[in-house]
Amino acid sequence: MLDNRLIEADATKLDELREILKAQENSDKLCGIGMKEIHIEHGGAKKVCQAVKSLTDGKKVLMVTGPTEIVDVDGKNVKEAVKAYLDAEYDVEWLVISEPNSIVHATPENAAKIQAHFEGKDIVVGIGGGTICDLCKYSTYYYDHENPLPLVIVQTALSVNAFSDDSSVMLINGVKRTVHSRYPLILIIDLDIVAAAPAEMNVSGYGDLIATWTAPVDWYLGNVLGMGQHFHTAPSDMIRTQCDRLLEKSEKLAAGDAKTLGELANVLTLSGLSMGLANESSPASGSEHVMSHLIDMASGVRKTGICYHGTQVAVSGIMSEIIWDWLLNDFDPKKVDLDKCYPSFEEMEPRVKAAFDWLDDTHNAANECWADYQKKLQRWHDHKAEFKAFLENFDEFKKAVAPWVKKPEYIADCMHKANAPTRYSKLNFPVDEKTVRWAITNCHLMRNRFSVIDLLHFTGFWTDEFVQKLIERAEAMDAGL
Ligand SMILES: [Zn+2]
């Protein structure tokens, strides 16, 4: 029976949320929430001094931002306003992280640029989107694990869920990696700032939540097959109902309805917390995210521009929904020849490397992917018994996950209503067909985490023809390429 308090969770009431989580079954398997406060309110940015004061007696603040100008609903420059609030009480150094093309990447190099300014500082205040947040979390954590500088984040768009978790998605050796970092201690979401963000950025946050209908099932599947750990129903139960409501309000979101934006802020923040609770990003990042990560890697090499994370994830989410729909309706476990499901390391190494070798001359990306993939392959070989049991009890599995998935047609329909792009070619940086096919076909080869695509690959269903059928079904719902 679902706990009503859990499904109606409020991200701004952290103590209450901790109590609710403690009351769940097997709550000892959940990690704690390493945050002090979350504010989601109109005029929230004015609380920045109060937030700093609650974390340090020191006076030296490092304010970190990206290069782009951000204004609130009244047209006021957000970064200058926050700087002015802080200046009234603190000694503030404003550090702007920028790159030649003015698109900032979350790289260890940029983190080092931030760390170079930590000496003598008492606190870091990051203002911006997901990349600035990831960089602030990563740089403070890796500068001093034991005693990281306190961190306040002023979130300027509802673009991703990653503001309220303890990891950072970093571009390392050209490969997107989710690495453990830390939580911001205080997160401020000023609804007057996020309401003024470009519509596609808030649609991106809505898109990041599309993963709610695939990532948890990928996570559960991995758990059933002995391929993952930490599975718990609470992190996803906490957001599913509110996500469902948000889908029903897709048109209101497109119209910029203030109340709906507030609801998006809450569920997006809860989605971030769900990853921290699980101690991994699995509740909110499955096969749909890994497709998107590959597209980012290709775009990085081809310099075609990195799309808004969530909008790209959502298009990939439709693809993952189609795959799940196929698994739950068309997969016949009796057709699986168990002994043919275990490719050798000798067979897989050249295959994985061939998929990623074109990304760089140094082979770094290919080596990085193979290093991670072989751990998954080893575990797959080691857990044959679980797979055998899965095939025998497939109906039971289907019954368990049925309430957690949605029909891809329904998701695509909601995304159309939300004005969210449903095609890769309609993203803010259009992705060409060749890249899309490469990303979908090879995404399972990139990392250690198990998803439905690994299952289809090991059972021999994951072929170019299968990917083609996937694309055709998406096409019928005005989605995909
Ligand atoms: Zn995401």
Side-chain angles (χ1 to χ4, degrees):
M1 195 56 196
L2 282 175
D3 182 337
N4 205 44
R5 295 175 311 151
L6 183 68
I7 66 176
E8 298 297 344
D10 181 341
T12 65
K13 295 179 178 158
L14 279 176
D15 287 339
E16 194 180 295
L17 184 56
R18 287 186 180 101
E19 284 302 312
I20 297 168
L21 288 163
K22 220 164 98 186
Q24 305 305 309
E25 218 175 297
N26 295 322
S27 63
D28 55 318
K29 292 205 175 119
L30 296 169
C31 292
I33 299 170
M35 293 184 76
K36 200 164 174 273
E37 293 165 21
I38 294 173
H39 300 275
I40 302 176
E41 60 199 59
H42 293 279
K46 291 193 187 85
K47 287 193 165 167
V48 69
C49 285
Q50 192 188 315
V52 169
K53 208 168 294 163
S54 73
L55 298 175
T56 179
D57 294 330
K59 289 286 167 197
K60 295 209 180 294
V61 177
L62 178 65
M63 183 176 123
V64 182
T65 73
T68 38
E69 189 185 79
I70 297 167
V71 293
D72 68 8
V73 281
D74 298 321
K76 197 163 65 182
N77 184 307
V78 169
K79 294 171 192 171
E80 282 171 8
V82 174
K83 171 87 165 40
Y85 297 141
L86 288 168
D87 275 341
E89 295 184 46
Y90 294 96
D91 178 3
V92 187
E93 180 189 347
W94 180 356
L95 174 66
V96 179
I97 296 297
S98 72
E99 288 177 39
N101 57 5
S102 93
I103 300 166
V104 180
H105 297 90
T107 56
E109 293 75 24
N110 278 332
K113 284 186 208 163
I114 299 174
Q115 287 168 338
H117 295 257
F118 283 171
E119 191 65 46
K121 297 296 190 302
D122 299 302
I123 189 163
V124 177
V125 176
I127 306 168
T131 304
I132 288 298
C133 180
D134 276 342
L135 281 169
C136 286
K137 291 193 289 186
Y138 182 93
S139 58
T140 48
Y141 183 74
Y142 286 95
Y143 188 76
D144 185 353
H145 287 249
E146 302 281 304
N147 198 16
L149 279 168
L151 175 63
V152 176
I153 294 288
V154 179
Q155 178 173 339
T156 54
L158 301 173
S159 50
V160 288
N161 60 2
F163 292 87
S164 50
D165 72 358
D166 58 350
S167 60
S168 297
V169 178
M170 303 294 291
L171 198 60
I172 298 171
N173 291 332
V175 181
K176 281 222 159 186
R177 286 282 178 236
T178 304
V179 293
H180 176 68
S181 58
R182 52 85 62 90
Y183 285 98
L185 291 178
I186 297 183
L187 175 65
I188 298 173
I189 304 179
D190 184 332
L191 292 171
D192 296 330
I193 296 175
V194 295
E200 61 254 86
M201 291 192 84
N202 293 334
V203 160
S204 174
Y206 164 94
D208 212 7
L209 290 172
I210 295 295
T212 303
W213 311 106
T214 45
V217 263
D218 277 333
W219 188 26
Y220 180 68
L221 173 70
N223 177 69
V224 167
L225 292 172
M227 298 297 292
Q229 307 156 355
H230 310 129
F231 181 81
H232 197 293
T233 51
S236 308
D237 288 345
M238 183 174 76
I239 62 167
R240 202 175 278 118
T241 304
Q242 295 190 52
C243 268
D244 209 358
R245 258 180 237 149
L246 204 62
L247 283 178
E248 285 164 17
K249 290 187 173 178
S250 297
E251 270 159 339
K252 286 193 165 181
L253 187 81
D257 175 61
K259 189 163 173 274
T260 310
L261 272 183
E263 288 164 8
L264 170 62
N266 186 54
V267 68
L268 202 56
T269 306
L270 288 171
S271 172
L273 293 177
S274 76
M275 299 192 279
L277 289 170
N279 199 25
E280 54 178 305
S281 61
S282 302
S285 167
S287 42
E288 72 303 312
H289 267 73
V290 82
M291 287 178 202
S292 176
H293 287 338
L294 260 73
I295 289 172
D296 285 348
M297 283 154 66
S299 307
V301 171
R302 297 197 176 118
K303 307 221 180 306
T304 46
I306 305 287
C307 298
Y308 288 123
H309 168 79
T311 52
Q312 189 169 285
V313 161
V315 177
S316 306
I318 297 174
M319 295 304 186
S320 289
E321 279 301 344
I322 298 173
I323 299 167
W324 268 104
D325 199 56
W326 181 87
L327 187 86
L328 297 179
N329 293 294
D330 300 303
F331 175 74
D332 182 356
K334 288 188 204 73
K335 285 193 181 146
V336 174
D337 181 344
L338 193 66
D339 293 322
K340 284 194 179 145
C341 296
Y342 294 87
S344 66
F345 283 66
E346 291 70 30
E347 209 176 307
M348 287 311 296
E349 182 173 352
R351 173 122 191 247
V352 172
K353 290 192 171 171
F356 299 102
D357 226 13
W358 67 273
L359 289 167
D360 59 10
D361 296 335
T362 61
H363 313 292
N364 277 341
N367 289 334
E368 169 88 26
C369 291
W370 171 241
D372 217 34
Y373 182 83
Q374 56 179 305
K375 293 179 206 155
K376 177 162 65 179
L377 187 59
Q378 183 62 54
R379 244 187 1 265
W380 175 247
H381 280 265
D382 292 345
H383 289 270
K384 204 168 174 176
E386 283 92 333
F387 180 45
K388 193 166 172 281
F390 168 82
L391 293 173
E392 284 161 8
N393 305 305
F394 187 59
D395 284 341
E396 223 170 274
F397 174 84
K398 283 204 286 192
K399 227 164 99 188
V401 302
W404 299 343
V405 293
K406 294 248 177 238
K407 279 281 174 194
E409 285 77 9
Y410 175 68
I411 296 288
D413 185 43
C414 291
M415 283 170 60
H416 286 133
K417 287 178 179 155
N419 262 343
T422 53
R423 291 178 178 275
Y424 292 104
S425 56
K426 294 280 175 4
L427 293 170
N428 60 319
F429 292 106
V431 185
D432 64 277
E433 180 175 342
K434 192 176 154 205
T435 303
V436 171
R437 284 184 189 270
W438 169 77
I440 295 176
T441 307
N442 296 296
C443 64
H444 58 297
L445 304 176
M446 179 214 169
R447 69 180 181 186
N448 188 355
R449 187 175 301 165
F450 196 87
S451 83
V452 64
I453 299 176
D454 289 292
L455 179 69
L456 295 199
H457 167 231
F458 288 134
T459 48
F461 291 100
W462 192 246
T463 59
D464 288 345
E465 294 72 47
F466 190 94
V467 173
Q468 177 58 29
K469 285 215 173 102
L470 192 69
I471 288 170
E472 282 166 15
R473 183 157 170 205
E475 190 62 42
M477 41 186 118
D478 187 14
L481 293 177

